[in-house]
Amino acid sequence: MKAIIVDRFGDPEVMRLEEVADPVPGEGQVLVRVHAAGVNPVDCYIRSGLYAQHAHLPYTPGIDGAGVIEEVGAGVRHRNIGDRVYIAWSLTGTYAEKVLCTEAQTHPLPKGISFPQGAAIGVPYGAAFRALFQKAHALPGENLLVHGASGGVGIAAVQLARAAGLRVIATAGSDQGRQLVLEAGAHAVLDHHDANHLKKIEELTCGVGANVILEMLANVNLGNDFGALATGGRVVIVGSRGRVEIDPRDAMGKEAVIFGMTLFNATEHERGSMHAAFTAGLENGTLRPVVSKELPLGNAARAHHEVIDTHTLGKIVLIA
């Protein structure tokens, strides 16, 4: 089979498409024929060496994917050859034509959800769900602000929150992005290039403020978030690309709580909970992953450049 191989950390060009042996499933494992692999910023950070502890050279990148089960190992109870599944984590990496997974790393892909959409579920929806419900403990009726909502995690957060009964306010940087976020279910979308956009939160929430803020770029926004928060509000840092200076008095005045989060810390029980919610949402139509671009597997380097250097709408996926 063909797979992307990384044998040293560095720029996107360290990824090479090579012929490798097909994996063989062992006890409790399944082999999935990959039709699409999701490209996430975390894939880029691992490849660059920033999160080197999460990869052992040489390795195949990729956390997310979707395809059809081709083989099952002994002891597999809930997956069968021919099942359509989406993948969230794996044993061998999803940037490949075939990937080896434990049974629990695969999840049913309902009819009507394409393989590229399936490859856009694991990390984006996992990060959004963990931030909203496992960290901020968001509740129906609360006001939510999602920064940078036109990306994969942002769209997932809007859909999840809207389905859970929150009032969703979002930001995006382009007309196309704002329209996409409205279609995803946001009640209101602001232009984050407008220097005064956060001042509109008070009016949109009848003077209450945002009970929860999902912060996708903390190094840019965190210092200003407190002014948009409700008293007792929670900020969850989903992403950051640098340092930031804040005034602790701003947090004190709102009695604010700041959470950091990463999917790497999710327990087996927490992962099971989120994927049960995703399966239900995909089946009932409240969750619909948005794919902005499909590229051939051999274009993994281009995909990594685009996911970091450009403002993508929805997800970029690799087609194996």
Side-chain angles (χ1 to χ4, degrees):
M1 70 172 191
K2 291 183 175 64
I4 296 294
I5 300 297
V6 175
D7 58 14
R8 60 187 173 88
F9 297 117
D11 294 336
E13 285 68 30
V14 300
M15 294 186 290
R16 304 189 316 274
L17 186 63
E18 297 186 359
E19 289 279 352
V20 299
D22 288 8
V24 177
E27 179 85 21
Q29 299 174 352
V30 299
L31 183 66
V32 180
R33 171 64 174 91
V34 177
H35 289 275
V39 179
N40 297 294
V42 69
D43 302 341
C44 304
Y45 303 148
I46 295 171
R47 181 262 307 146
S48 71
L50 183 62
Y51 293 166
Q53 69 271 25
H54 297 296
H56 301 285
L57 297 172
Y59 79 101
T60 294
I63 295 171
D64 296 339
V68 176
I69 292 180
E70 195 169 90
E71 297 181 43
V72 299
V76 171
R77 300 176 58 190
H78 303 291
R79 300 288 179 265
N80 299 294
I81 292 173
D83 285 354
R84 299 173 79 249
V85 295
Y86 75 88
I87 300 157
W89 309 94
S90 71
L91 299 173
T92 57
T94 58
Y95 291 15
E97 292 180 329
K98 298 180 182 181
V99 61
L100 192 63
C101 305
T102 66
E103 182 177 6
Q105 290 170 333
T106 64
H107 309 276
L109 187 65
K111 292 180 180 179
I113 305 297
S114 69
F115 291 120
Q117 286 179 305
I121 297 170
V123 167
Y125 283 81
F129 187 94
R130 184 162 177 77
L132 282 170
F133 305 118
Q134 294 178 347
K135 291 299 176 184
H137 300 289
L139 296 171
E142 289 193 310
N143 300 313
L144 168 70
L145 172 61
V146 182
H147 281 295
S150 59
V153 178
I155 290 171
V158 169
Q159 293 177 353
L160 286 163
R162 183 63 190 267
L166 282 82
R167 177 165 176 77
V168 182
I169 303 166
T171 76
S174 69
D175 290 341
Q176 185 180 3
R178 288 188 286 275
Q179 182 60 36
L180 180 63
V181 174
L182 282 172
E183 292 171 357
H187 293 89
V189 185
L190 305 174
D191 181 356
H192 62 223
H193 294 304
D194 177 358
N196 295 313
H197 72 281
L198 287 179
K199 295 180 180 178
K200 299 175 183 178
I201 300 298
E202 182 176 3
E203 178 184 351
L204 288 169
T205 61
C206 299
V208 174
N211 303 104
V212 178
I213 296 179
L214 296 198
E215 185 49 78
M216 308 298 178
L217 198 59
N219 57 297
V220 173
N221 301 314
L222 185 60
N224 297 318
D225 282 339
F226 301 109
L229 266 184
T231 301
R234 296 90 78 198
V235 180
V236 186
I237 299 175
V238 179
S240 183
R241 295 187 181 181
R243 301 177 66 86
V244 63
E245 181 176 312
I246 66 171
D247 186 342
R249 290 184 180 86
D250 294 335
M252 293 163 63
K254 291 296 180 69
E255 296 190 341
V257 178
I258 302 173
F259 292 100
M261 65 129 286
T262 171
L263 272 178
F264 290 113
N265 289 335
T267 65
E268 183 177 353
H269 175 75
E270 289 171 330
R271 290 193 296 270
S273 176
M274 66 178 65
H275 289 292
F278 302 160
T279 299
L282 294 168
E283 289 175 342
N284 66 29
T286 56
L287 303 184
R288 280 295 180 270
V290 175
V291 176
S292 63
K293 186 172 292 187
E294 301 177 16
L295 296 172
L297 181 61
N299 284 16
R302 175 184 165 188
H304 275 213
H305 278 297
E306 292 198 15
V307 81
I308 293 295
D309 300 333
T310 64
H311 297 288
T312 57
L313 303 178
K315 287 295 299 177
I316 296 176
V317 301
L318 299 172
I319 303 301

